[in-house]
Structure formats: structure tokens, C-alpha cells
Amino acid sequence: MKRVLITGAAGFIGSHLCDRFLKEGYHVTGMDNLLTGALKNIEHLFPDARFDFYHHDVTKYVHVPGDLDYILHFASPASPIDYLKMPIQTLKVGSLGTHNLLGLAKSKASRILIASTSEVYGDPLIHPQKEDYWGNVNPIGPRGVYDESKRFMEAITMAYHRYHGLEARIVRIFNTYGPRMRIEDGRALPAFMAQALRGEGLTVYGDGSQTRSFCYVDDLVEGIYRLLLSDYSLPVNIGNPDEITIMQLAKEIIQLVGNPKAFIDYRELPEDDPKVRQPDITLARRLLGWEPKVVRSEGLVHTLEYFRKELNK
Ligand code: UDP
């Protein structure tokens, strides 16, 4: 049986990856320090003998006994509010954490896939974003702690690949949504859903004309799975190119939730907020035969079901 180590296993994307690899017949070893992850996301996996879990912070030396075929490094605070609150941890998990996991991968001759991000493109001057775009990042702005941590992560991973011949995969993840997002993580989609369900104002930052492109988590996981098993070592964008304004997202959520009390509550636009974002997925299409399948109207319904249950708990 092949074995995969997933860091950030108790997080939104990490927990979906655990589900997927177990479904594919792997032994899954999860690791998380539960800083932003939650055990409730993986508690259904504990009865499975093919799953084990380490409550561990990957910025400290990582020891895992036994063979490891694959390592997926998904541990990190990932929402703007989280990395504003935890700037040092965010920098450490992308740098020290990645270094530890690369060392582990080298010692066990594992293939490693690291979770990079569309944030490496910063506030992009090229649209849509292709993998060969170097980005427009403010290193000392509020988002710099995340952006630079992920850029360093890519750099050190490529160095291990080139210098040590380590097998590496780099996924650049664009905005993703679905069940197990944290209601209070501050991101637009969970915030709007919770606000609409509670009949509060939807906090649209600025005039809401900034754009994002939202990918349903199942599509993302499929792309990551294919990338891991591919033989391509350079970064690959995985995301849904269906781009909308944040105002349009707020309106769609208000309509879907159907709470007559919900309204738009304009707030100040945060510093360095990217104005546009859309993945160019030509490479993923060609290399992996992958493209997103779940349209937003469908993905939002599944996600809303999850948030309704969470808020009624
Ligand atoms: N946003 C918003 N209201 C919120 C949270 C976010 O209008 O309550 C905006 C934010 O300014 C950004 C977009 O929605 O332009 C997406 O923000 P998010 O935090 O979801 O992720 P980002 O793509 O910026 O990392």
C-alpha cells in the first residue's frame, strides 16, 4: 500500500485531500498543529486503520517513522485575516516548515507536492495569470508575509529539485471554496454565506468591482491528484477561470440564501487587495487533461448546505 503524508490535514483543503487519498486506497498520515485546522474536519477518518494523525507543528523537526511515497505540504494559515493575525507563523510554515519537509522527502526518497498560491502573482499586471508571469508583490505589505513565504517555498523546492534531484510538484492554487471552510476565516465566500444566513449586511470591501475566480474544492483536489502523479516539476495553476466581481458573488449568495433581511454593507478596501485574479489553465488542461467541472451555481448550493448545518449547531 502506498503511503502519503499530508500536512495541514485538518484544514479545509488538507482534509479533502485525506478523503481522496483514502478513497484511492492509500495509507494516509495526517499532520496538523491545529492552529487554523480543526479535528472535526477529520474525525470521521479516525476509525479507518489506514489513517493516522500527528498533532505536530512542521516548523519543528518532523519525524515520521516508516516509508513515505508522497508528501503533500498544505499546512499554512491561508486567509488574509489569518495571516494578518499570525504573520510570523505564516512566514515560518512556508520557510522552516517547507525546509523540514524537503529534508524528510530527501531522506525517504519521497515525491513532494507543495501548496503554492495565486498570491505569488500579487496584484497582477498580466491578466489572466499564466505560470510564466513573475508577479507584482509588495514584500512589506500586509499580504507580504503570505506571498513571500509561498514564493520562498517555491524557490527552495526548486532548489532541492535541481540540486538534490528531489521529485517535486508545485501547485498554484487560486480561490477555492466548499464545505469545511471556516465561517470566521474572513474570506469573502464564507463571510457572505454566514452574513446572508444570519440576515446581516454582506461586508463588501471597496466598491466590489475587484474580481476573483472561484473553484469548487472537488475540482481542485482532482487537479492536485493528477499533478502529483504527473511527471512535471514546474508550477501549475489549478483554479476555475470563471471570473466574477465580488459584488456579483455577494448578489448571487443573497439570492441563493433568500433571506430578505440580507443587504450589502460597504466597507473599506484592504491595503494591497488584488484588483483582478483569473487563472490561465492552458497548462493544466494540456498536461493533466484537467479542467473544472462544477459550476458555481452547483458548488454554492453544496457549500450553503454545509454552512446552514454549521450555524444551526
Ligand atoms: N472581501 C470582501 N468582503 C469580505 C471579505 C473579502 O469584499 O468580507 C473581498 C476582498 O477584499 C477581496 C475578495 O473579497 O477583494 C476576496 O477576498 P478573500 O479574503 O476571500 O481572498 P483573497 O482572494 O483576497 O485572498
Side-chain angles (χ1 to χ4, degrees):
M1 192 187 293
K2 294 231 186 231
R3 181 172 179 219
V4 55
L5 169 69
I6 300 177
T7 75
F12 162 48
I13 296 175
S15 65
H16 285 282
L17 286 168
C18 291
D19 288 342
R20 176 64 189 265
F21 278 87
L22 285 166
K23 209 168 120 202
E24 298 289 342
Y26 288 75
H27 182 107
V28 174
T29 297
M31 189 172 281
D32 205 300
N33 68 352
L34 304 178
L35 188 64
T36 57
L39 283 180
K40 69 171 182 193
N41 291 335
I42 47 169
E43 65 192 0
H44 60 289
L45 303 179
F46 283 96
D48 193 327
R50 295 173 303 135
F51 181 73
D52 56 357
F53 179 72
Y54 289 83
H55 183 188
H56 181 72
D57 178 348
V58 296
T59 67
K60 310 275 182 341
Y61 185 82
V62 180
H63 173 69
V64 176
D67 291 338
L68 279 178
D69 299 281
Y70 302 119
I71 297 173
L72 278 74
H73 182 25
F74 279 71
S76 180
S79 82
I81 281 195
D82 285 343
Y83 46 79
L84 274 178
K85 274 193 293 204
M86 298 172 268
I88 315 284
Q89 288 99 325
T90 303
L91 282 158
K92 281 171 75 178
V93 72
S95 54
L96 306 181
T98 305
H99 185 218
N100 286 336
L101 292 161
L102 289 165
L104 183 70
K106 186 167 152 262
S107 74
K108 300 210 184 262
S110 327
R111 179 180 299 178
I112 186 167
L113 181 147
I114 59 146
S116 186
T117 166
S118 54
E119 283 284 324
V120 300
Y121 303 121
D123 190 3
L125 305 177
I126 298 282
H127 192 69
Q129 293 75 55
K130 258 175 105 104
E131 288 85 350
D132 59 7
Y133 176 49
W134 294 351
N136 177 38
V137 170
N138 174 4
I140 57 162
R143 303 173 83 105
V145 295
Y146 185 65
D147 302 9
E148 296 299 359
S149 157
K150 292 292 187 179
R151 289 167 69 98
F152 175 85
M153 185 188 209
E154 290 196 5
I156 192 170
T157 300
M158 286 310 297
Y160 266 71
H161 170 65
R162 291 182 176 133
Y163 187 75
H164 290 304
L166 192 77
E167 281 210 56
R169 307 286 179 266
I170 300 174
V171 58
R172 288 189 182 149
I173 300 171
F174 283 66
N175 293 67
T176 301
Y177 71 102
R180 301 186 194 150
M181 288 187 100
R182 263 165 52 230
I183 290 181
E184 72 288 5
D185 88 352
R187 278 188 270 212
L189 200 141
F192 292 171
M193 286 217 165
Q195 289 156 346
L197 284 165
R198 292 176 177 136
E200 297 168 356
L202 277 68
T203 50
V204 169
Y205 298 162
D207 62 3
S209 64
Q210 69 273 34
T211 69
R212 295 292 185 273
S213 309
F214 294 93
C215 183
Y216 189 64
V217 65
D218 290 357
D219 282 332
L220 178 86
V221 165
E222 179 64 31
I224 290 168
Y225 187 74
R226 291 188 190 199
L227 176 62
L228 177 72
L229 300 183
S230 78
D231 57 6
Y232 190 77
S233 309
L234 296 172
V236 180
N237 290 340
I238 298 285
N240 190 325
D242 186 2
E243 180 182 6
I244 52 164
T245 65
I246 291 303
M247 181 56 82
Q248 192 185 335
L249 177 72
K251 286 184 176 159
E252 284 181 14
I253 290 176
I254 288 181
Q255 198 179 14
L256 178 69
V257 173
N259 186 339
K261 288 202 215 131
F263 61 99
I264 303 286
D265 177 7
Y266 291 96
R267 299 289 177 93
E268 204 180 321
L269 189 68
E271 196 183 329
D272 293 341
D273 198 272
K275 283 176 272 309
V276 291
R277 187 184 283 158
Q278 186 202 129
D280 182 319
I281 58 165
T282 310
L283 183 63
R285 277 201 175 101
R286 182 165 54 76
L287 209 69
L288 314 173
W290 174 88
E291 61 181 11
K293 297 266 184 297
V294 182
V295 292
R296 201 168 52 250
S297 54
E298 188 191 339
L300 286 181
V301 168
H302 298 314
T303 311
L304 180 62
E305 235 170 79
Y306 173 80
F307 283 123
R308 258 193 222 286
K309 277 196 212 126
E310 283 298 296
L311 285 179
N312 287 331
K313 269 184 185 166

